[in-house]
Amino acid sequence: MATDDVAQLADSLAKTGVEDGELSYKGQGRKLDDAQSVEEMVKEIQDFEGLQALRLEGNTVGVEAAQAIAKALETKSALMRCYWSDMFTGRLRSEIPPSLNSLGDALMLAGARLTVLDLSDNAFGPDGVKGIENLLKSSTCYTLQELRLNNCGMGIGGGKILAASLIYNHKKSSAVGSPLSLKVFVAGRNRLENDGATALAQAFKLMGSMEEVHMPQNGINHAGVTALAEAMQHNPGLRILNLNDNTFTEKGAMAMAQALKHLRSIQVINFGDCLVRPEGAKAIAVSVSEGLPILKELNLSYGEITEDAALVVAQAVKDKDQLEKLDLNGNCIGEDGCRALKVAMEAMNMSELLGSLSEDEGEPEDDDDEEDEDDDEEEDDDEDDVDEEEVEEEEEEEEEEESTGNKFSTPQSTPRPPEVSSFLSFPSPDKLLKLGPTRALLIEQQVAKKSPVTLKHTCNPMQRSSSSLVCKHFFFRAQVDVSDATKTAEAFLKIASVYKEDNTEVRNAVLDSIDGLLRKAFTSSSFQGYSFVSSLLVLLGLIKSEDKVKPVIVVPGHLQALEHVVRQDYFPKESVAVLEAFMSRNNKTLESCGNAKNNLQSTLQRVRSQS
């Protein structure tokens, strides 16, 4: 071969990037308007034996050019991967569907079996989706594993067409024994909104094979998020879930938290800028703490998360030995809260995994709580109506249980003396002593007693029993972990309020009662210890809560009893550092407890140094 020919071949290979069955024209910026402009490319495609991948991204292809390329692809049955993103820059939208139709028809004629189709960054809108509709429904895509349509402007209409195509494909491919098993789906910045997301959720649920789902910036709110959450439960192999910059609110976050309980393979959760808010963050934290053994990254940034919720999230990742990053930036944690969060992470030897907090927005103003959620008022009214129905139905259920001995009712316990309720309502040393040696058990039973109307509990419809509108969590209050932690913290403070250092009988009664209550709580598998600490700090007035919880009037007995508790073996050592951080602050609520506060601080420092 002549030297010039060798040089020309080398130059051609360098330009096209031939590699392992791949022919690449990536990023060459070619303006391909007509058949003449692609003559060289067409010849290279035709001459390429065993073509498996074709990269056309970063060029601009017109209708005639696309038809010429398509002609060359009609014999390429081995083609599996089409990287065709950003290849219609400067083209009229009306040019794109016929170009895609030509290319798709060629692939079907060739009998290709695609595994990757990437058409990202092509602003083709719903009409562009119609241009690939036949291709997606054909046997050429029965083997599709990756579908990337990021930033295509599909809109609701395009999302529905896409979903219907995938569902059709799954039906037809299942009929021949090889059901569509899509693994990677990317469709960020497409304005899918609720209806588009809900339609796609149907496809995801049907396939059950998803490993990565990326749908950021799509204007999806809680209704669409809930549909996606339900679908994700049917995809146990899911590893990455990216819904960044959609609007969850608490409703969507609760639904997604429920879904996470089914996703033990998940490694990356990106719910940043999703407005999960404090209660949503806490619900997600519960799911994280109870499962997700190989979690690597958790992003809850820019979600209006407050200090107490951020600390709950931090505690939830303490046993995640594969965790690489926790992102809580841009929330409403506050300067003191950021310090406490860093202390908590440091206490768990995970400080280097906490992302920057440089854009924290500070503690929310009091009037922030008055702002409406993105859910409209009508939906809130509907929710209130449901709450009333729940209470009414539960009352009927309770009456039925009493009259029929319903097998699902809780076992009838021996009547508790009225002094228990009286003590918890208006604590006094005498009332505590009158409860006798079984006081700890009596108080525990009273705390666990179901009380459906004391707290407003919003749950996902998926958590409701099939026979009733009432959430099953109302029937068995002890199963609601966060609520249990709050009630336990309230009971602890009421018992501790009657502590008397100079009265041995009362002191021992207080400490025995507290030990009995907390040991039982902390050793229960369903009890969330970090929620207890968070609730305790809220009730002591050391951190704010979105729920407008009224803090107690702090007395020395609260801190003296707490000093005893942190020394006990049942109290989690990782919570000691969190308490120490808050006790070291200058807080007016603790000014009246000078000596008790100092003693507690010393004990916390000593316990932490020994752990």
Side-chain angles (χ1 to χ4, degrees):
M1 183 179 291
T3 303
D4 290 344
D5 292 337
V6 173
Q8 185 177 0
L9 176 60
D11 182 59
S12 178
L13 290 173
K15 286 181 180 179
T16 57
V18 177
E19 178 183 345
D20 295 333
E22 177 181 291
L23 186 57
S24 175
Y25 301 93
K26 180 179 179 180
Q28 294 183 11
R30 299 190 187 190
K31 192 170 186 298
L32 308 171
D33 296 324
D34 49 32
Q36 185 178 357
S37 65
V38 293
E39 281 182 354
E40 181 184 351
M41 182 183 293
V42 166
K43 188 175 187 309
E44 289 168 345
I45 293 173
Q46 290 173 335
D47 292 343
F48 197 112
E49 296 293 334
L51 180 64
Q52 296 180 19
L54 178 62
R55 307 195 78 111
L56 297 176
E57 63 263 57
N59 299 285
T60 175
V61 182
V63 176
E64 289 186 21
Q67 290 171 344
I69 294 171
K71 189 67 176 176
L73 293 175
E74 289 180 356
T75 59
K76 301 300 175 183
S77 60
L79 186 62
M80 295 186 295
R81 302 185 301 278
C82 297
Y83 301 101
W84 296 348
S85 63
D86 189 24
M87 70 176 203
F88 297 114
T89 302
R91 301 293 170 181
L92 296 175
R93 180 172 288 189
S94 59
E95 293 182 77
I96 301 175
S99 297
L100 292 173
N101 271 318
S102 297
L103 293 166
D105 289 346
L107 296 175
M108 290 186 282
L109 183 60
R113 292 293 183 266
L114 294 187
T115 58
V116 178
L117 179 59
D118 185 355
L119 289 167
S120 298
D121 301 315
N122 291 310
F124 49 50
D127 289 341
V129 183
K130 292 179 182 177
I132 59 172
E133 183 178 4
N134 289 336
L135 174 63
L136 290 174
K137 289 181 175 180
S138 74
S139 59
T140 294
C141 287
Y142 284 1
T143 51
L144 195 63
Q145 295 183 6
E146 297 184 21
L147 180 58
R148 300 177 183 270
L149 297 168
N150 201 58
N151 191 30
C152 288
M154 289 188 291
I156 295 172
K160 289 183 174 181
I161 295 170
L162 177 61
S165 299
L166 293 174
I167 291 171
Y168 181 91
N169 183 315
H170 186 271
K171 179 181 178 180
K172 291 297 183 180
S173 57
S174 297
V176 296
S178 57
L180 173 64
S181 299
L182 194 67
K183 295 181 179 179
V184 178
F185 181 79
V186 182
R189 301 181 65 186
N190 271 290
R191 297 180 288 108
L192 294 169
E193 301 182 16
N194 284 341
D195 289 347
T198 300
L200 286 165
Q202 300 276 341
F204 298 152
K205 182 178 179 179
L206 185 64
M207 292 184 290
S209 55
M210 302 308 303
E211 295 182 4
E212 296 184 26
V213 174
H214 304 262
M215 297 175 65
Q217 296 183 356
N218 269 295
I220 308 169
N221 65 32
H222 72 84
V225 171
T226 298
L228 288 170
E230 182 180 359
M232 293 307 107
Q233 294 187 44
H234 297 270
N235 290 266
L238 191 68
R239 295 183 296 104
I240 299 175
L241 182 57
N242 176 9
L243 295 176
N244 188 283
D245 199 8
N246 290 290
T247 307
F248 282 35
T249 66
E250 287 91 341
K251 289 182 180 179
M254 294 287 186
M256 198 56 72
Q258 180 68 17
L260 290 175
K261 295 179 179 180
H262 301 265
L263 303 176
R264 293 186 60 80
S265 297
I266 203 158
Q267 299 177 15
V268 177
I269 299 172
N270 186 346
F271 296 160
D273 207 10
C274 284
L275 204 67
V276 298
R277 294 189 172 146
E279 293 309 310
K282 290 178 183 178
I284 291 170
V286 171
S287 296
V288 169
S289 67
E290 292 178 350
L292 316 191
I294 57 175
L295 184 66
K296 293 183 177 180
E297 182 175 335
L298 176 60
N299 184 348
L300 295 178
S301 60
Y302 302 95
E304 291 190 1
I305 298 173
T306 52
E307 180 179 358
D308 60 323
L311 289 170
V312 172
V313 172
Q315 293 292 327
V317 301
K318 66 180 179 180
D319 296 323
K320 309 304 169 187
D321 53 12
Q322 296 190 37
L323 190 72
E324 297 174 0
K325 185 177 182 181
L326 172 63
D327 190 347
L328 292 171
N329 201 14
N331 282 299
C332 304
I333 302 173
E335 186 176 345
D336 288 340
C338 288
R339 281 197 291 268
L341 183 59
K342 291 176 181 177
V343 168
M345 294 295 286
E346 183 179 353
M348 298 184 293
N349 296 318
M350 303 176 82
S351 58
E352 73 282 359
L353 306 183
L354 181 64
S356 171
L357 299 173
S358 60
E359 296 186 23
D360 186 78
E361 297 185 4
E363 295 184 11
E365 299 294 332
D366 290 338
D367 58 356
D368 283 352
D369 293 332
E370 303 298 329
E371 293 181 0
D372 291 336
E373 291 187 1
D374 292 312
D375 310 329
D376 57 37
E377 293 181 5
E378 183 179 345
E379 290 174 329
D380 290 337
D381 291 341
D382 290 343
E383 180 182 309
D384 292 338
D385 293 340
V386 172
D387 287 341
E388 292 175 5
E389 292 176 16
E390 288 174 346
V391 173
E392 291 174 2
E393 290 208 17
E394 184 179 8
E395 289 174 352
E396 294 173 2
E397 182 83 12
E398 288 179 341
E399 291 175 3
E400 183 179 346
E401 288 174 2
E402 290 173 2
S403 62
T404 64
N406 191 313
K407 66 179 180 180
F408 294 110
S409 61
T410 52
Q412 193 171 19
S413 58
T414 56
R416 287 182 288 275
E419 289 85 352
V420 181
S421 297
S422 177
F423 169 73
L424 290 174
S425 299
F426 304 100
S428 73
D430 288 341
K431 290 179 181 178
L432 181 65
L433 293 176
K434 285 180 180 179
L435 294 178
T438 61
R439 59 180 68 89
L441 178 61
L442 295 175
I443 292 171
E444 176 200 326
Q445 290 175 340
Q446 184 71 13
V447 170
K449 181 182 178 182
K450 60 182 179 180
S451 179
V453 295
T454 56
L455 285 180
K456 180 180 179 183
H457 173 64
T458 302
C459 88
N460 190 296
M462 291 182 291
Q463 294 173 308
R464 301 188 189 280
S465 63
S466 59
S467 61
S468 172
L469 289 174
V470 183
C471 168
K472 60 189 177 184
H473 293 168
F474 272 99
F475 292 121
F476 300 100
R477 180 63 173 275
Q479 294 177 2
V480 186
D481 297 334
V482 177
S483 297
D484 278 354
T486 301
K487 299 292 287 184
T488 302
E490 291 172 352
F492 164 76
L493 291 175
K494 288 176 179 178
I495 300 170
S497 67
V498 303
Y499 181 93
K500 290 185 178 295
E501 183 66 33
D502 56 356
N503 187 320
T504 303
E505 186 179 12
V506 172
R507 185 181 70 241
N508 289 342
V510 168
L511 298 183
D512 288 347
S513 300
I514 286 173
D515 282 342
L517 177 69
L518 295 187
R519 187 180 298 279
K520 179 69 177 295
F522 279 108
T523 54
S524 171
S525 59
S526 62
F527 188 77
Q528 302 295 338
Y530 49 81
S531 292
F532 168 82
V533 173
S534 175
S535 298
L536 187 63
L537 292 171
V538 169
L539 291 167
L540 289 173
L542 299 179
I543 56 178
K544 291 182 180 179
S545 170
E546 191 183 61
D547 297 329
K548 293 186 177 180
V549 175
K550 185 177 180 181
V552 301
I553 298 174
V554 182
V555 297
H558 290 141
L559 304 189
Q560 290 167 324
L562 188 56
E563 181 188 358
H564 165 82
V565 168
V566 299
R567 297 198 303 264
Q568 306 310 305
D569 56 0
Y570 57 74
F571 190 78
K573 301 309 176 188
E574 61 270 13
S575 296
V576 171
V578 176
L579 288 174
E580 184 183 358
F582 282 96
M583 292 301 160
S584 64
R585 297 181 183 180
N586 293 322
N587 195 301
K588 292 183 179 180
T589 62
L590 303 181
E591 286 180 354
S592 61
C593 308
N595 290 335
K597 176 187 175 184
N598 293 336
N599 292 338
L600 176 57
Q601 282 184 272
S602 298
T603 299
L604 288 167
Q605 291 171 358
R606 185 169 61 256
V607 172
R608 189 160 74 93
S609 65
Q610 293 172 351
S611 60

